[in-house]
Amino acid sequence: MAALPIIDPRDAAMLSLLPRAGRGRLKVYLGSAAGVGKTVRMLQEAHDLRRRGVDVVGGYIETHGRAETAALVRDLEVVPRTSVVYRDVALEEMDLDAVIARAPQVALVDELAHNNVPGSRHRKRWEDVLDLLDAGISVVSAMNVQHVESIAPIVQQALGVVVRETVPDWVLARADQVVNIDIPADELRRRLIDGKIYALDKVPTALDHFFTAENLTTLRELALREAASSVDRERMELVRRETGRSATVHASADRLMVAMASHPPRTAALLHKARRIAGRLNSDWYCVYVQTPSERADRIDSEVQRGLVDNIQLAQRMGAEVVKLEGTDIATTIIEFARREGVSLVLVGRSERSWWHRLRHGSVVDRLLSGGSGLDVLIVGGRD
């Protein structure tokens, strides 16, 4: 019997990046904060790929003035950036057309969450990356966990930091690989003190604000959980490709859903909560809206309709399967859908109706909580 060939782990890593069926693959290095080494790891991988015969170019690399990072760029081919004039100032962005014309096998595109300068082809860099993937170019990128759209509000609440550049959850879910670059909080703070992250004059402020041990530990936990969710998605996709069947049955929890009312308050908090629970439990999730006769398109208030559309788009960006149902009895319609789709947990917002209204007309939440529904119900307040 012939011996099985031994596959070098580096060859496996290389093959996992090469385009498949005419479409590029996406690999994302995810970190808890600036300075953990995402870009360095990305550049080190580029050098390794090049030594092994893979055509790699730098589409956009951000060194942040760090000597260690800049040294790794020198021997790589980097596509020159394009200049975009905004408010009489010339700013540099990735030259998307030039990278596509160069047609490498792999392109490095740093800072996936970056907002492009107004006047660029796309508003977001992740949209540029999707174009590269469609062109058959694989992409290695990097980002920090606070820029994941569903995590940004958690970071704002826990750390008091407003995140203005985000990547939709569904983009990260489409990545073929998400690799967490993890270092302890104390080590990261030491790198900061040594001037390896920011200029020395910015270090005291950073240490007292964003780079506290508590903040870094929180971000580290979020990054580890996000990467763990990605590993589960990879496993499920591998089973699907190799066996032709879904691996969802091996998930660690049944499916969950958000019961979304047409009135928008609290819906964002519901969606953020559902996304995090689904990610931690490796579970599919739905966002379900029941349209009653009084809320048909020709009857619903235009402002409520706008809020509903915004929330549906938010749910789609977070990776939910959005389902619109029609029915006269909201609770019954939700219960029937949950039974049909194997949903065991329903997230709902706290009712804003007066106690008198609930007494006269009943409550959807009370109906869902009744013993006959068989559902677990989580009532979410206004904040996630």
Side-chain angles (χ1 to χ4, degrees), residues 112-124:
L112 186 62
H114 171 76
N115 290 338
N116 289 335
V117 175
S120 304
R121 181 190 300 184
H122 297 301
R123 293 179 56 247
K124 305 285 188 176

Side-chain angles (χ1 to χ4, degrees), residues 54-120:
V54 178
D55 183 17
V56 184
V57 303
Y60 189 97
I61 302 170
E62 183 58 72
T63 67
H64 294 288
R66 297 166 191 160
E68 180 185 10
T69 307
L72 289 169
V73 178
R74 294 192 191 108
D75 295 332
L76 288 177
E77 178 186 348
V78 178
V79 176
R81 301 177 184 181
T82 187
S83 180
V84 180
V85 177
Y86 177 64
R87 294 182 177 177
D88 298 325
V89 177
L91 302 170
E92 292 185 337
E93 291 288 2
M94 179 174 72
D95 193 333
L96 178 60
D97 292 329
V99 177
I100 292 176
R102 170 61 178 75
Q105 290 174 292
V106 178
L108 310 181
V109 182
D110 209 353
E111 299 199 354
L112 186 62
H114 171 76
N115 290 338
N116 289 335
V117 175
S120 304

Side-chain angles (χ1 to χ4, degrees), residues 33-54:
V36 298
K38 304 179 300 298
T39 303
V40 168
R41 183 71 65 85
M42 183 175 70
L43 291 167
Q44 289 172 339
E45 179 170 18
H47 284 287
D48 189 46
L49 290 171
R50 194 178 66 162
R51 284 191 294 269
R52 305 175 77 77
V54 178

